[in-house]
Amino acid sequence: MSFFGLDCARKKERELERKLRANDREYNLSFKYATNAIKTSKYNLFTFLPLNLFEQFQRIANAYFLFLLLLQVIPQISSLSWFTTVVPLVLVLSVTAAKDATDDINRHRSDNQVNNRKVQVLIDGKLRSERWMDVQVGDIIKLENNQFVTADLLLLSSSEPLNLIYIETAELDGETNLKVRQALTVTGDLGDTIESLAAFNGEVRCEPPNNRLDRFTGTLTYAGQKYSLDNEKILLRGCTLRNTDWCFGLVLFGGPETKLMQNCGKSTFKRTSIDRLMNVLVLCIFGFLAFMCTILAIGNGIWELNDGSQFTVFLPRQEGTDAAFSAFLTFWSYVIILNTVVPISLYVSVEIIRLGNSFYIDWDRKMYHARSDTPAEARTTTLNEELGQIKYIFSDKTGTLTQNIMTFNKCSINGKSYGDVYDYTGQRLEITEHTETVDFSFNPLADPRFTFHDHALVEAVKLENPEVHAFFRLLALCHTVMPEEKNEGELFYQAQSPDEGALVTAARNFGFVFRSRTPDSVSIVEMGKQRSYELLAILDFNNVRKRMSVIVRSPEGKLSLYCKGADTIVYERLHQSCNKLKDVTTEHLNEFAGEGLRTLALAYKDLDEEYFSQWKQRHHEASTALDDREDRLDQLYEEIEKDLLLLGATAIEDKLQDGVPQTIEQLSKADIKIWVLTGDKQETAENIGYSCNMLREEMNEVFVVSGNTPEDVGRELRNALTTMKPDAVEDAVFLPERTLGKGVRAIRDEAVNGEYGLVINGHSLAYALERSMELDFLRTACMCKAVICCRVTPLQKAQVVELVKKYKQTVTLAIGDGANDVSMIKAAHIGVGISGQEGMQAVLSSDYSFAQFRFLQRLLLVHGRWSYLRMCKFLRYFFYKNFTFTFVHFWYAFFCGFSAQTVYDEWFITLYNLVYTALPVLGMSLFDQDVNDVWSFQHPELYVPGQLNLYFSKTAFFKCALHSGYSSLVLFFIPYAAMYDTVRDDGKDIADYQSFALLTQTCLLFTVCIQLGLEMSYWTAVNTFFVLGSLAMYFVVTFTMYSNGMFLMLPSSFPFIGTGRNTLNQPNVWLTILLTSILCVLPVVTYRFLSIQLRPTINDKVMFKVRQAKATPPPPPRRTRIRRTSSRRSGYAFSHAQGYGDLVTSGRYLRRPALTRSSGFAHAGRTTTGFSPMGRSAGYSPTGRPQNAKIEDVEVTSLQMYRTVRDPAF
């Protein structure tokens, strides 16, 4: 990664393999690896001015004004003073440079803050405190609890047993679950002995720097032995060390070569589609300007040949000047005079409008999240109007759509459903924040954050219903959760997935409290009684089994197998006697799934002692086999997990952020397509798709692409394409003569009958993004209403965005909250960061940020649409007023001998754009709105014209130019005819140049003000003041400039002495102004009237509704909770991962000496943990802390409670 001012050396050859040696800086420096310093700034003190000016003059208009300035210093062709161009140009360059400098200073501060953090580095046999930027590849560093990981490290040793450490990866992937990493035994034995670590000289060979967060390959050679390295031994920069006193690591990658920085993607300068269109239009305007100047130069040449000789008596020519040279000089003179077709004030005004609309986003209280004290922030000011043109949204899932909180909502036990609340008539009530919750005070060990509303379940527990007790006993025993009890009665659960934690917490509150565990036992408190179950086996979860089981022996000696898993899987293994119960439970499961809940079936069986001892022996043989170990274990699991007895089912809500389904529904109505790109499993992503209303049961079909070869993926995509559009042509249909740069043709949108969804996983997506298949994938995906890509890498997220940008003439937006979303956020036209507790990496790379996904609808449907509408109105009006102003010069040239004389007073030319018309147009561009925010939400279809570029396009610009041409004809010839051979009411002549100039410019100003009034939809006191104030200012300045006093002070600068009072006191002059103004706006009024009557737009229809409602819109309909009827059910614990069962049952288990404690029920009072419930049902959070809380000291996890126990039985 290269940056300006950092390294101007020739580009390093591409690295194929990394080689490094621990504690040997001299050896490692020979490879010229990057240091750990990062640099995101663009300039330094010396490069700022040249680089910034070079960037600014890449904007065509700035270069054009510099060229004009050079022309104006040539006296032969300049008819205007040089300062009329140099002052505004310097102003624009200075304001832009100041903004760029401020942004870059902030980047420098951020870089310095990170680079100057301190870390302990092992140098020359001693630990020294060094700055991050001075850390080098091959150094050994020491990290302590709650410290950020400095660079990408190979874990060497830690303070924890088995060389384990715990890290939080929220900055990387937005997930708050703690993850485990484990060092090699050979390096773990080094411990924290400085002498051993200083003597360590292992050599590492590994992959070169890349952006794969989930994969690492390499080898460590030490003491003549070679050891394999994988991702489980690597700590990535951006992680935080948790619940680990200390650890030592070897630096593998530093600074820009770390995976975090590799995933940042390159920062590109984002321009809006209007900016790009403006560049094209400005080029066209320059061409048209040259065309007009050429015509006038030819006219001058002809006039000089025919009539010029007659004027030489009183207008002598200079020596050597002939008609041709005069025409050449005239060409450049007219370039200066007609330059107002593209005035520099256009760019100043655009920046002011964008800045103002950015402040509206920052100030919007309806986008402020009080709980986390987070306002919305526009981090860039250049993209506002593009927010009104979004067609595709690419969203992350975890932390963006969901809160990553699971809540136990409902369950079915022995054919009875629990969780709903009914009134006395038997009608089901909607559960709200005010619904009465169950009182768990009978249980002093209950979690105060857990809420449940159905009292019937607690009553069943208290009445000792055997099936209900068996149900919660299963939940308390069948899991891999690890408990932690710092103080008596204060329990914290560390679950490797939030699903597990939610289920164990539910069992805890209903009186079956999971208290502690060892490798061979599980202790629970059942309704106040301490009981210890012998743990004989864990049949662990994996993606194929989709279930887990435990085999336990009760204190009474009874052997039981408890199983929980996906309902379809468990149903296949049930005893025939359960058929009736299965039918009833299925109905309940369908109902739960219809509400978007994640369902799980529970079953058990009692085991025969003799059979189990034989099975245990075979299990031991299979688990130690060298060949086909997995297959043999699977067969044994299948054998014992059959003839189960059904207990019931659970329903967990994967808590979405507030308002997500409604937001997605609103955005869909605005014809915005939403694609979810997530690293989660397919089932989890699908489930969330249904929960948040992206995927719906009413859809004709949801295609799942999961092929493992290019051929399979291609076939699945073609089948989906054929299903949606049987008559689809083989190749994509390109838009005629529409290119997106670099010769890429844009693909046409294809309409389909019905609604479809597409789900594709990561390895299939890798094939789909290959050049041979990318168009098939894009066509299929774009025909679907919703697209979900699962198990995708950060790079693939960016590739999907780039693909849509490449072939679609549309604007894209990416929204995410973790470092794994940064490349996607940077790739999209607009990047939005969710600022919450999951880290700030995405926010720092984004263009806009806020705290909740639901604010996106306000950002787009209100702020985005208004910004786009205002900018388009501004551009249409600005071009109109300036073209009209300039074209009058063109017509006047035919009456002044093509002499490059201006038709207006020079002071009027200077002040026209800066004073007389600046504020009214800014007022419209900052305050105008067609309808208010309430109506914008009620009619999301108002957003569609922005996607289609209907408000400002080449066609709209051409119409604007025609209108200006007509207005300039009226503005020149009506005053000309009105003054021709006219006398004042006192008989004196009025038809002089100065009177004509004053009349024309007054007509022009009235016309453009009336035109502005017609453009404006929303009048405010400020707008009215600006319009009337500008007219008043014109007359004040005019009478002042044309006064005797100004003439006497500077006769050459104020030649129009007395013109104002002599001309504007004539009735016929005011009649001419009135007639001219009416004729100029008459075609506009007629066109508007006919278009509203014959072909009304969606805006016209809604504005008519608003007028009918007398600007008091009806109250928005009260939203009820969206309920779906669905036969689809989700599989088990989808964020679960296999492998934890082995850790739990291994002899090398982590355990601290247990606290001496009673069962807990002897206490009279209820022990609180300092947490307060949040929202309708405070759910299980994987970090065991409330969402969005500002936490200073991180709690110690349960895993730290344990120390190595060597059981002689193992």
Side-chain angles (χ1 to χ4, degrees):
M1 186 178 286
S2 62
F3 296 93
F4 287 119
L6 178 68
D7 182 15
C8 298
R10 64 183 181 81
K11 196 172 179 181
K12 194 171 73 171
E13 290 180 20
R14 180 165 177 167
E15 195 177 333
L16 299 175
E17 184 186 49
R18 172 144 299 200
K19 302 174 190 172
L20 61 103
R21 187 180 298 152
N23 292 313
D24 192 343
R25 281 195 168 186
E26 191 177 342
Y27 173 80
N28 298 324
L29 283 172
S30 65
F31 295 103
K32 296 182 179 175
Y33 296 138
T35 65
N36 201 41
I38 60 163
K39 189 171 191 297
T40 58
S41 53
K42 289 166 65 177
Y43 316 108
N44 60 33
L45 204 58
F46 303 105
T47 61
F48 174 72
L49 201 61
L51 275 178
N52 189 261
L53 287 175
F54 174 72
E55 286 177 2
Q56 289 205 58
F57 282 117
Q58 284 184 319
R59 186 180 259 178
I60 296 167
N62 287 344
Y64 166 65
F65 292 122
L66 182 66
F67 172 66
L68 269 183
L69 179 61
L70 297 174
L71 288 181
Q72 283 183 301
V73 297
I74 303 171
Q76 285 83 356
I77 60 175
S78 178
S79 51
L80 289 170
S81 304
W82 60 271
F83 62 81
T84 57
T85 298
V86 77
V87 172
L89 179 61
V90 169
L91 183 71
V92 168
L93 294 176
S94 303
V95 169
T96 309
K99 187 162 90 48
D100 291 345
T102 306
D103 289 346
D104 209 57
I105 286 168
N106 290 334
R107 282 193 287 265
H108 271 288
R109 281 182 186 150
S110 173
D111 290 347
N112 288 337
Q113 183 189 353
V114 172
N115 287 333
N116 288 308
R117 286 176 181 164
K118 295 288 187 178
V119 68
Q120 294 186 70
V121 185
L122 188 61
I123 300 175
D124 298 331
K126 292 180 182 176
L127 277 177
R128 295 183 187 171
S129 180
E130 295 281 336
R131 295 180 301 177
W132 276 28
M133 62 190 294
D134 297 326
V135 172
Q136 295 182 13
V137 170
D139 286 350
I140 291 177
I141 65 175
K142 180 182 181 181
L143 296 176
E144 293 180 341
N145 195 26
N146 296 334
Q147 269 192 333
F148 284 110
V149 177
T150 310
D152 288 358
L153 309 175
L154 167 65
L155 179 61
L156 296 179
S157 63
S158 88
S159 58
E160 299 303 293
L162 304 182
N163 306 312
L164 290 174
I165 64 158
Y166 309 104
I167 54 170
E168 187 180 276
T169 59
E171 282 280 355
L172 288 172
D173 55 19
E175 292 185 10
T176 49
N177 308 12
L178 293 190
K179 300 191 173 56
V180 180
R181 295 289 182 266
Q182 187 172 22
L184 290 166
T185 308
V186 66
T187 61
D189 292 340
L190 298 171
D192 59 347
T193 311
I194 300 301
E195 293 77 16
S196 304
L197 288 162
F200 178 68
N201 62 350
E203 288 194 19
V204 174
R205 288 185 168 227
C206 64
E207 60 188 26
N210 61 72
N211 60 6
R212 289 291 300 270
L213 294 171
D214 58 342
R215 183 176 60 84
F216 179 84
T217 53
T219 58
L220 169 68
T221 306
Y222 177 56
Q225 296 290 320
K226 188 179 277 191
Y227 304 91
S228 173
L229 302 178
D230 58 23
N231 210 43
E232 296 304 306
K233 298 170 183 61
I234 304 300
L235 305 185
L236 299 183
R237 180 178 177 137
C239 299
T240 309
L241 193 66
R242 298 289 192 212
N243 307 315
T244 306
D245 292 337
W246 53 262
C247 74
F248 284 88
L250 173 67
V251 178
L252 302 180
F253 303 109
E257 293 176 342
T258 57
K259 293 189 185 256
L260 176 71
M261 296 302 291
Q262 291 276 314
N263 267 300
C264 284
K266 60 178 188 294
S267 291
T268 54
F269 178 62
K270 293 183 178 181
R271 304 185 76 100
T272 66
S273 53
I274 284 184
D275 267 338
R276 292 189 290 274
L277 176 61
M278 285 266 291
N279 269 347
V280 174
L281 294 179
V282 165
L283 285 172
C284 296
I285 291 168
F286 290 161
F288 186 60
L289 174 65
F291 174 70
M292 285 196 297
C293 293
T294 305
I295 289 175
L296 297 178
I298 293 168
N300 178 266
I302 294 169
W303 188 87
E304 286 287 348
L305 285 172
N306 296 338
D307 301 327
S309 55
Q310 300 170 18
F311 283 82
T312 51
V313 177
F314 58 90
L315 199 65
R317 287 178 180 160
Q318 291 182 352
E319 288 295 323
T321 304
D322 55 9
F325 187 65
S326 173
F328 174 76
L329 293 178
T330 301
F331 175 88
W332 296 111
S333 296
Y334 272 113
V335 166
I336 294 171
I337 286 176
L338 302 180
N339 79 76
T340 45
V341 282
V342 188
I344 199 160
S345 60
L346 170 66
Y347 291 93
V348 181
S349 302
V350 164
E351 292 303 321
I352 292 171
I353 292 164
R354 285 173 172 166
L355 188 64
N357 285 315
S358 297
F359 280 132
Y360 290 153
I361 295 170
D362 293 344
W363 295 338
D364 192 341
R365 290 185 179 183
K366 293 179 181 175
M367 292 171 68
Y368 168 72
H369 191 240
R371 194 186 303 164
S372 61
D373 187 27
T374 310
E377 183 185 3
R379 297 172 56 82
T380 179
T381 59
T382 56
L383 302 172
N384 296 331
E385 66 270 15
E386 199 135 80
L387 289 170
Q389 298 179 275
I390 304 297
K391 181 70 177 176
Y392 289 90
I393 291 176
F394 301 93
S395 174
D396 178 40
K397 183 191 77 68
T398 306
T400 303
L401 297 177
T402 67
Q403 301 178 34
N404 207 23
I405 293 178
M406 305 293 175
T407 56
F408 180 85
N409 266 24
K410 297 183 180 181
C411 61
S412 169
I413 305 175
N414 198 31
K416 182 169 170 47
S417 177
Y418 297 95
D420 286 317
V421 180
Y422 298 88
D423 63 12
Y424 63 92
T425 62
Q427 292 292 314
R428 184 157 60 180
L429 298 174
E430 184 184 350
I431 293 174
T432 66
E433 291 179 10
H434 307 294
T435 306
E436 185 187 358
T437 57
V438 170
D439 179 15
F440 290 110
S441 60
F442 74 92
N443 178 1
L445 291 173
D447 185 340
R449 294 170 296 159
F450 180 87
T451 57
F452 201 74
H453 300 277
D454 187 357
H455 295 265
L457 187 52
V458 174
E459 293 305 315
V461 171
K462 288 179 179 177
L463 292 171
E464 299 188 1
N465 182 311
E467 288 83 9
V468 173
H469 276 212
F471 180 89
F472 285 116
R473 187 178 295 115
L474 185 153
L475 292 181
L477 291 170
C478 184
H479 55 78
T480 57
V481 172
M482 299 188 186
E484 173 187 357
E485 190 166 357
K486 288 183 180 174
N487 301 314
E488 180 74 18
E490 286 190 21
L491 269 172
F492 295 94
Y493 292 143
Q494 278 296 335
Q496 58 125 344
S497 74
D499 319 62
E500 287 263 76
L503 294 171
V504 178
T505 302
R508 167 186 175 179
N509 275 58
F510 285 102
F512 288 75
V513 185
F514 168 52
R515 198 76 183 267
S516 65
R517 76 184 322 150
T518 68
D520 54 5
S521 72
V522 176
S523 294
I524 65 174
V525 178
E526 293 186 8
M527 300 305 291
K529 295 176 184 173
Q530 183 91 25
R531 289 168 65 85
S532 182
Y533 289 80
E534 187 183 350
L535 181 60
L536 300 169
I538 292 182
L539 284 55
D540 205 3
F541 171 90
N542 67 34
N543 283 332
V544 178
R545 283 168 44 76
K546 292 190 178 178
R547 65 190 185 278
M548 79 165 285
S549 302
V550 293
I551 300 173
V552 296
R553 180 179 279 114
S554 71
E556 295 79 25
K558 183 179 172 186
L559 270 178
S560 301
L561 178 144
Y562 291 109
C563 177
K564 65 180 182 184
D567 43 47
T568 50
I569 302 291
V570 172
Y571 276 12
E572 292 169 3
R573 290 157 178 79
L574 292 179
H575 193 270
Q576 289 181 344
S577 63
C578 296
N579 285 347
K580 195 171 180 182
L581 177 58
K582 186 166 75 172
D583 294 339
V584 179
T585 308
T586 302
E587 286 181 28
H588 294 158
L589 282 167
N590 290 340
E591 189 181 326
F592 299 156
E595 296 172 30
L597 303 177
R598 297 165 70 146
T599 55
L600 196 65
L602 311 185
Y604 79 102
K605 70 182 280 191
D606 293 328
L607 297 175
D608 176 65
E609 192 77 47
E610 187 181 343
Y611 166 73
F612 176 71
S613 60
Q614 292 175 357
W615 183 89
K616 181 76 174 173
Q617 178 62 34
R618 286 183 290 144
H619 178 265
H620 178 72
E621 291 169 4
S623 60
T624 54
L626 296 176
D627 300 323
D628 302 324
R629 181 186 300 175
E630 294 295 325
D631 292 339
R632 291 176 65 177
L633 283 173
D634 279 341
Q635 287 172 10
L636 281 169
Y637 291 169
E638 285 288 337
E639 179 190 317
I640 201 166
E641 290 175 323
K642 64 183 181 184
D643 294 333
L644 303 175
L645 300 176
L646 183 63
L647 273 174
T650 61
I652 295 175
E653 182 181 5
D654 186 356
K655 269 190 101 55
L656 294 170
Q657 287 190 13
D658 295 339
V660 166
Q662 292 83 355
T663 300
I664 287 175
E665 183 187 356
Q666 282 283 82
L667 295 175
S668 296
K669 287 179 182 174
D671 201 26
I672 297 172
K673 294 187 176 181
I674 300 176
W675 294 19
V676 171
L677 311 177
T678 176
D680 260 353
K681 294 186 179 68
Q682 181 180 316
E683 295 93 335
T684 316
E686 269 189 71
N687 223 48
I688 291 298
Y690 280 98
S691 300
C692 64
N693 256 22
M694 272 182 64
L695 300 176
R696 294 191 300 280
E697 287 300 317
E698 304 83 62
M699 284 183 164
N700 298 52
E701 192 171 343
V702 176
F703 304 107
V704 177
V705 177
S706 55
N708 289 311
T709 64
E711 294 75 23
D712 290 346
V713 175
R715 185 171 60 253
E716 288 173 358
L717 288 173
R718 282 189 294 275
N719 290 344
L721 195 66
T722 311
T723 304
M724 288 188 284
K725 197 170 183 183
D727 56 342
V729 292
E730 188 68 27
D731 297 319
V733 181
F734 293 94
L735 290 170
E737 299 178 10
R738 182 74 67 82
T739 61
L740 301 176
K742 299 180 184 174
V744 177
R745 301 276 300 280
I747 294 180
R748 187 193 301 276
D749 284 331
E750 298 176 74
V752 293
N753 292 323
E755 287 189 353
Y756 298 89
L758 176 69
V759 178
I760 182 168
N761 60 32
H763 53 262
S764 302
L765 185 63
Y767 298 123
L769 291 173
E770 289 176 359
R771 186 172 293 278
S772 59
M773 217 181 295
E774 61 181 13
L775 285 180
D776 282 341
F777 167 62
L778 186 65
R779 286 180 70 197
T780 307
C782 290
M783 285 184 191
C784 296
K785 190 78 175 171
V787 178
I788 297 176
C789 304
C790 347
R791 282 292 186 211
V792 292
T793 64
L795 179 64
Q796 284 177 326
K797 290 184 178 187
Q799 287 174 332
V800 171
V801 176
E802 292 286 3
L803 181 65
V804 174
K805 279 175 67 180
K806 182 179 177 184
Y807 288 110
K808 284 287 180 180
Q809 189 88 14
T810 51
V811 182
T812 59
L813 178 146
I815 179 169
D817 70 322
N820 58 342
D821 304 313
V822 167
S823 51
M824 168 176 81
I825 283 170
K826 286 188 173 180
H829 292 102
I830 289 177
V832 177
I834 299 283
S835 52
Q837 66 172 23
E838 285 84 10
M840 296 294 287
Q841 202 68 33
V843 171
L844 293 173
S845 305
S846 66
D847 305 305
Y848 299 89
S849 69
F850 41 70
Q852 295 274 294
F853 182 83
R854 69 175 187 271
F855 296 144
L856 186 62
Q857 62 175 323
R858 187 167 181 84
L859 183 72
L860 301 187
L861 302 185
V862 177
H863 291 289
R865 200 178 68 80
W866 281 350
S867 294
Y868 173 69
L869 190 69
R870 289 164 181 163
M871 184 59 74
C872 293
K873 279 191 175 184
F874 165 79
L875 291 172
R876 289 201 308 261
Y877 174 74
F878 206 95
F879 281 126
Y880 166 76
K881 78 181 180 68
N882 280 82
F883 283 4
T884 305
F885 172 86
T886 308
F887 289 167
V888 174
H889 280 300
F890 182 78
W891 308 124
Y892 181 62
F894 290 90
F895 293 85
C896 69
F898 306 96
S899 60
Q901 184 183 9
T902 58
V903 70
Y904 315 114
D905 167 27
E906 192 173 278
W907 283 105
F908 179 79
I909 293 172
T910 307
L911 299 175
Y912 177 71
N913 278 313
L914 289 176
V915 177
Y916 300 148
T917 60
L919 287 179
V921 70
L922 279 179
M924 178 186 74
S925 309
L926 290 173
F927 302 116
D928 197 41
Q929 48 181 260
D930 51 353
V931 295
N932 64 23
D933 54 347
V934 177
W935 284 95
S936 297
F937 284 135
Q938 287 184 359
H939 296 277
E941 60 274 14
L942 283 169
Y943 191 82
V944 174
Q947 297 170 332
L948 304 174
N949 286 313
L950 295 184
Y951 294 145
F952 188 74
S953 59
K954 290 174 185 171
T955 309
F957 174 77
F958 183 66
K959 286 180 183 175
C960 173
L962 281 179
H963 181 204
S964 300
Y966 163 78
S967 295
S968 65
L969 281 167
V970 172
L971 283 167
F972 178 76
F973 286 104
I974 298 289
Y976 178 81
M979 294 203 100
Y980 193 72
D981 288 340
T982 304
V983 294
R984 290 159 49 86
D985 48 12
D986 59 3
K988 293 179 182 176
D989 192 7
I990 198 175
D992 63 284
Y993 159 72
Q994 291 185 343
S995 298
F996 172 70
L998 178 63
L999 175 58
T1000 308
Q1001 64 199 36
T1002 307
C1003 289
L1004 171 69
L1005 203 62
F1006 271 94
T1007 300
V1008 295
C1009 283
I1010 294 168
Q1011 182 66 35
L1012 181 82
L1014 291 174
E1015 287 282 347
M1016 205 121 58
S1017 307
Y1018 184 68
W1019 282 87
T1020 65
V1022 178
N1023 292 66
T1024 311
F1025 173 74
F1026 281 171
V1027 173
L1028 298 179
S1030 293
L1031 285 172
M1033 177 66 74
Y1034 166 70
F1035 286 112
V1036 169
V1037 171
T1038 298
F1039 281 110
T1040 304
M1041 296 284 192
Y1042 298 174
S1043 65
N1044 296 7
M1046 298 299 286
F1047 174 75
L1048 292 172
M1049 282 196 296
L1050 288 167
S1052 60
S1053 297
F1054 301 100
F1056 279 54
I1057 178 173
T1059 307
R1061 58 180 181 270
N1062 289 337
T1063 306
L1064 294 176
N1065 64 359
Q1066 298 300 306
N1068 62 334
V1069 168
W1070 286 101
L1071 188 64
T1072 305
I1073 292 170
L1074 179 66
L1075 177 65
T1076 308
S1077 302
I1078 291 171
L1079 281 175
C1080 281
V1081 299
L1082 193 62
V1084 180
V1085 175
T1086 308
Y1087 175 77
R1088 296 255 177 99
F1089 174 77
L1090 291 175
S1091 62
I1092 288 172
Q1093 296 300 317
L1094 303 176
R1095 292 177 62 188
T1097 62
I1098 180 65
N1099 292 62
D1100 296 328
K1101 293 173 184 174
V1102 175
M1103 287 169 76
F1104 178 69
K1105 270 189 183 180
V1106 174
R1107 284 194 295 272
Q1108 276 189 322
K1110 296 179 182 177
T1112 52
R1118 186 166 174 268
R1119 287 195 175 276
T1120 55
R1121 179 170 176 175
I1122 296 171
R1123 299 181 79 91
R1124 295 184 296 110
T1125 53
S1126 162
S1127 57
R1128 181 186 176 280
R1129 293 200 295 278
S1130 62
Y1132 156 63
F1134 296 122
S1135 52
H1136 214 65
Q1138 70 185 95
Y1140 268 67
D1142 295 338
L1143 182 62
V1144 169
T1145 55
S1146 67
R1148 306 163 304 161
Y1149 196 69
L1150 313 177
R1151 181 164 61 85
R1152 256 189 196 156
L1155 291 168
T1156 307
R1157 58 177 178 256
S1158 64
S1159 67
F1161 278 74
H1163 297 290
R1166 178 174 173 179
T1167 310
T1168 60
T1169 55
F1171 291 100
S1172 56
M1174 298 167 292
R1176 180 167 67 81
S1177 59
Y1180 171 81
S1181 170
T1183 51
R1185 62 181 187 239
Q1187 293 296 91
N1188 298 315
K1190 300 198 182 304
I1191 292 177
E1192 298 298 326
D1193 299 325
V1194 177
E1195 298 291 342
V1196 181
T1197 66
S1198 59
L1199 291 175
Q1200 196 183 1
M1201 295 285 292
Y1202 298 92
R1203 289 291 180 262
T1204 306
V1205 174
R1206 299 282 178 192
D1207 192 322
F1210 280 74

